[in-house]
Amino acid sequence: MEKPKKTRLATIWLSGCSGCHMSFLDQDEQIIELAKNVELVYSPLVDTKTFPEDVDITLIEGAVGNEEQLSLLRQARERTKILVSLGDCAVTGNVTALRNAWSPSERTVLQRAYVETTDVNPQIPTDIPKLLKQARPLHEVVQVDYFLPGCPPSADLINYVLTELLASRTPNMEGRSKYG
Ligand code: SF4
């Protein structure tokens, strides 16, 4: 008998601290259950270089902050059936967007990050992607299907949303704590 097709899952890390991915991993043994039904086709957790075609669900951590991320986000949207904003940076901009109020100038932001707050060998790198004028939540750039708030969202909440989506149900976030 032919094995049932696994859901093709991707995760992306844009301008975030990786805390949302840590929370994803924090699902502990529930990940084993997930793995029975899911094939992880793209993620910082696996060694795949290009975003694949025909992805069922993509979880995206972080706001969109530079041109490389913008391009990846648009590509992921084109190739994904269900796109989920994972965590407050993706949902609202959160800490990533603090730079928006401070300065819209790329040079000033880089000067602050790489020179003014650096003790050893301060210099602005030349081989980094060009910053967007402002860091943006995902839904301001592409259509987002579900929002999974929290900083980070709790592992239980991530597991609940994934379980519902895998069962082709709509997650009901009402009354659910984002902090577990
Ligand atoms: S939402 Fe919080 S945990 Fe997730 S990337 Fe942003 S700062 Fe980190």
Side-chain angles (χ1 to χ4, degrees), residues 28-87:
D28 298 330
E29 69 277 4
Q30 292 171 309
I31 280 191
I32 297 168
E33 281 307 307
L34 267 185
K36 291 177 187 165
N37 303 313
V38 154
E39 181 188 359
L40 193 57
V41 293
Y42 182 91
S43 174
L45 308 170
V46 298
D47 190 26
T48 312
K49 305 293 185 226
T50 52
F51 195 87
E53 301 278 355
D54 200 19
V55 177
D56 295 304
I57 302 170
T58 298
L59 307 178
I60 305 186
E61 167 189 325
V64 53
N66 65 42
E67 289 186 349
E68 196 175 88
Q69 294 172 353
L70 183 62
S71 160
L72 176 59
L73 174 61
R74 286 180 170 149
Q75 188 175 56
R77 178 64 279 182
E78 278 169 20
R79 298 179 176 184
T80 303
K81 294 189 186 84
I82 299 174
L83 193 139
V84 181
S85 272
L86 175 67

Side-chain angles (χ1 to χ4, degrees), residues 13 15-20 61-62 86-90 94-96 150-153:
W13 174 9
S15 288
C17 73
S18 90
C20 293
E61 167 189 325
L86 175 67
D88 285 349
C89 290
N94 198 31
V95 276
T96 310
C151 182

Side-chain angles (χ1 to χ4, degrees), residues 1-2 7 9 54 61 65 85-86 90-91 93 95 103 112 137 139 142-144 161 163 170 179:
M1 200 172 77
E2 204 178 310
T7 297
L9 174 70
D54 200 19
E61 167 189 325
S85 272
L86 175 67
V91 173
V95 276
S103 170
R112 180 72 184 154
H139 66 275
V142 296
Q143 185 195 320
V144 168
V161 168
T163 303
T170 300
Y179 299 111

